[in-house]
Amino acid sequence: MNNIELEELGNTLNILGCSKKEIPNKTLLLLSASLQFNQVLNLKNHSGNTVGYISWAEVDIHSILAFLNFQRLPEFVHEWKEGNIFWILDFNLPEYPFKSVIRSQIRCFFKDKFMFHAFGRKPRLSFSSSKVFFETDIFYKLEDLEKSKQDLGF
């Protein structure tokens, strides 16, 4: 690890440590794996200071279906870099008044990528580019997802 990577790691852990609640072991394990594969984006304010982070795994549809059907998270090393769907595993942004700055960073970083997240009540799959944006409820069978992608022209 070079000095810049160590500084970013320190910033990420500082944000996590500043949260007011106890940090679940699952969060620490997922963040550790994301850091290992350089799958963490530190979110910066206008001054360039880290104010939050977002972590992910790059999975394929089979990992998503395993989660949806069996609540199974990626557990093997190869699963963290095997696909082209960015599974948002953790998003930590303590109180920060300039959310538009953060939204812009996230949109820029994840542009032209499929994203999956299971925050809130419904898991969602989305795709965003300068030409198209779609977000859909998740399908629990591979055949349904493939049909939906064909209908949308992907």
Side-chain angles (χ1 to χ4, degrees), residues 2-20:
N2 63 37
N3 288 343
I4 294 172
E5 290 171 329
L6 286 173
E7 183 179 337
E8 291 297 310
L9 170 61
N11 290 337
T12 302
L13 294 175
N14 186 44
I15 293 296
L16 186 61
C18 288
S19 64
K20 296 177 179 144

Side-chain angles (χ1 to χ4, degrees), residues 29-79:
L29 290 171
L30 293 173
L31 182 58
S32 173
S34 291
L35 286 166
Q36 178 182 354
F37 293 108
N38 199 23
Q39 295 170 323
V40 174
L41 173 66
N42 282 322
L43 305 169
K44 313 272 187 192
N45 64 12
H46 293 317
S47 304
N49 298 321
T50 300
V51 294
Y53 71 86
I54 188 167
S55 66
W56 67 89
E58 296 170 29
V59 299
D60 67 7
I61 192 62
H62 301 289
S63 294
I64 301 293
L65 292 172
F67 172 75
L68 293 171
N69 291 306
F70 308 109
Q71 282 65 55
R72 183 187 163 286
L73 294 168
E75 51 188 44
F76 301 106
V77 173
H78 69 274
E79 290 180 289

Side-chain angles (χ1 to χ4, degrees), residues 65-101:
L65 292 172
F67 172 75
L68 293 171
N69 291 306
F70 308 109
Q71 282 65 55
R72 183 187 163 286
L73 294 168
E75 51 188 44
F76 301 106
V77 173
H78 69 274
E79 290 180 289
W80 285 82
K81 288 287 240 185
E82 72 179 349
N84 62 354
I85 300 171
F86 284 64
W87 181 350
I88 308 301
L89 296 167
D90 193 20
F91 178 77
N92 193 324
L93 184 65
E95 294 179 32
Y96 182 68
F98 302 104
K99 298 216 187 252
S100 63
V101 173

